[in-house]
């Protein structure tokens, strides 16, 4: 299965996907897309010899329509947003219905929405005094963090002293849960039953 990964920054989730031994057998990361030229994630993509694209208008960029066509031409079956922080253009959403997923560093539907990314999320969780946080993988629709939830895992944060400490604990979970969901997609184990998403276990 060919997949495209969208990134905006450090790329640790991208790296976790690329280094997952099971995934290596069943998926090919065929494109890495960003809204920025100078993100660390692009360095990782280049190390792995993966083609990179910058979404936008202007020199050396690819607009949303062109990118959609490119990804369809490349036979991309799944788009993974791994730390991509911009809203996805409608043309892409419409072409990849139920085939685009996002990782969010908290337990949705809490602590999501516009502006809730990276450390902002962990600060809000810390200030709420919540005792658990976690990671959520969900389908992407046309607004921030509202698509149906595919998988979640929580972590105890009752003893943390800072938002950074929450981020560290949650990131470890992200690196497990995102490859697992991609694996389930590749093995055709994601089903929609009674308007809920289930991962078929065998
Ligand atoms: C991850 O924690 C991801 O969950 C978060 O950005 C970070 C990217 O890290 N995404 C969001 O906050 C989306 N709302 P990475 O570049 O090292 O994978």
């Amino acid at each position: 299965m060919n997949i495209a990964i969208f990134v905006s920054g450090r790329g640790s989730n991208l790296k976790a996907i690329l280094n997952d031994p099971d995934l290596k057998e069943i998926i090919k990361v065929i494109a890495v897309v960003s809204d920025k030229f100078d993100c660390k994630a692009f360095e990782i993509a280049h190390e792995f010899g993966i083609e990179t694209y910058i979404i936008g208008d202007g020199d050396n960029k690819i607009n949303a329509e062109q990118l959609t066509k490119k990804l369809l031409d490349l036979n991309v079956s799944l788009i993974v947003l791994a730390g991509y922080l911009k809203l996805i253009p409608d043309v892409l959403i419409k072409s990849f219905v139920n085939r685009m997923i996002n990782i969010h560093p908290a337990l949705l539907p809490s602590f999501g929405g516009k502006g809730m990314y990276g450390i902002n999320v962990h600060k809000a969780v810390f200030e709420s005094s919540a005792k658990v946080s976690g990671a959520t993988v969900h389908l992407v629709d046309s607004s921030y963090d509202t698509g149906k939830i595919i998988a979640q895992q929580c972590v105890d944060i009752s003893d943390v002293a800072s938002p950074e400490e929450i981020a560290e604990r949650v990131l470890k979970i992200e690196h497990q849960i995102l490859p697992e969901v991609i694996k389930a997609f590749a093995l055709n184990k994601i089903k929609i039953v009674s308007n809920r998403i289930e991962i078929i276990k065998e």
Side-chain angles (χ1 to χ4, degrees), residues 72-153:
L72 292 171
D73 286 349
L74 288 170
N75 272 326
V76 166
S77 301
L78 180 70
I79 294 179
V80 177
L81 310 185
Y84 184 75
L85 304 180
K86 290 275 169 67
L87 202 59
I88 297 291
D90 262 355
V91 57
L92 267 164
I93 306 261
K94 285 190 182 123
S95 303
F96 287 89
V97 173
N98 292 340
R99 294 192 296 148
M100 191 184 301
I101 61 174
N102 177 49
I103 178 103
H104 185 77
L107 296 172
L108 291 174
S110 295
F111 306 110
K114 195 170 185 324
M116 286 300 249
Y117 56 82
I119 199 67
N120 296 350
V121 178
H122 304 300
K123 279 183 182 156
V125 171
F126 185 78
E127 273 154 33
S128 76
S129 191
K131 306 302 178 222
V132 288
S133 191
T136 302
V137 180
H138 63 93
L139 287 174
V140 174
D141 60 17
S142 52
S143 51
Y144 286 103
D145 304 325
T146 53
K148 281 197 183 288
I149 293 168
I150 303 167
Q152 287 183 305
Q153 201 174 310

Side-chain angles (χ1 to χ4, degrees), residues 12-202:
S12 72
N13 278 289
L14 170 67
K15 205 167 189 172
I17 295 165
L18 292 170
N19 283 329
D20 187 291
D22 295 341
L23 280 182
K24 276 183 191 157
E25 308 289 323
I26 50 176
I27 64 148
K28 182 172 165 61
V29 178
I30 203 147
V32 171
V33 178
S34 181
D35 53 318
K36 294 183 190 134
F37 283 98
D38 59 346
C39 62
K40 183 93 180 31
F42 264 13
E43 288 173 27
I44 298 168
H46 294 144
E47 272 167 37
F48 279 80
I50 302 164
E51 199 75 52
T52 53
Y53 301 87
I54 298 143
I55 187 167
D57 295 309
D59 287 350
N60 301 319
K61 293 187 177 174
I62 184 165
N63 70 33
E65 286 75 22
Q66 291 165 330
L67 181 64
T68 304
K69 185 174 179 318
K70 181 89 208 166
L71 298 181
L72 292 171
D73 286 349
L74 288 170
N75 272 326
V76 166
S77 301
L78 180 70
I79 294 179
V80 177
L81 310 185
Y84 184 75
L85 304 180
K86 290 275 169 67
L87 202 59
I88 297 291
D90 262 355
V91 57
L92 267 164
I93 306 261
K94 285 190 182 123
S95 303
F96 287 89
V97 173
N98 292 340
R99 294 192 296 148
M100 191 184 301
I101 61 174
N102 177 49
I103 178 103
H104 185 77
L107 296 172
L108 291 174
S110 295
F111 306 110
K114 195 170 185 324
M116 286 300 249
Y117 56 82
I119 199 67
N120 296 350
V121 178
H122 304 300
K123 279 183 182 156
V125 171
F126 185 78
E127 273 154 33
S128 76
S129 191
K131 306 302 178 222
V132 288
S133 191
T136 302
V137 180
H138 63 93
L139 287 174
V140 174
D141 60 17
S142 52
S143 51
Y144 286 103
D145 304 325
T146 53
K148 281 197 183 288
I149 293 168
I150 303 167
Q152 287 183 305
Q153 201 174 310
C154 47
V155 62
D156 184 349
I157 54 161
S158 55
D159 59 345
V160 293
S162 67
E164 287 72 21
E165 221 176 309
I166 300 176
E168 204 177 302
R169 289 187 195 183
V170 169
L171 195 64
K172 280 199 190 115
I173 291 177
E174 293 185 45
H175 294 166
Q176 296 164 11
I177 192 177
L178 187 55
E180 269 167 29
V181 171
I182 296 171
K183 218 170 290 171
F185 262 97
L187 299 175
N188 204 19
K189 287 187 172 170
I190 307 262
K191 302 280 174 229
I192 300 178
V193 181
S194 308
N195 217 18
R196 288 173 61 83
I197 301 182
E198 287 181 10
I199 298 181
I200 311 293
K201 296 198 171 65
E202 271 155 45

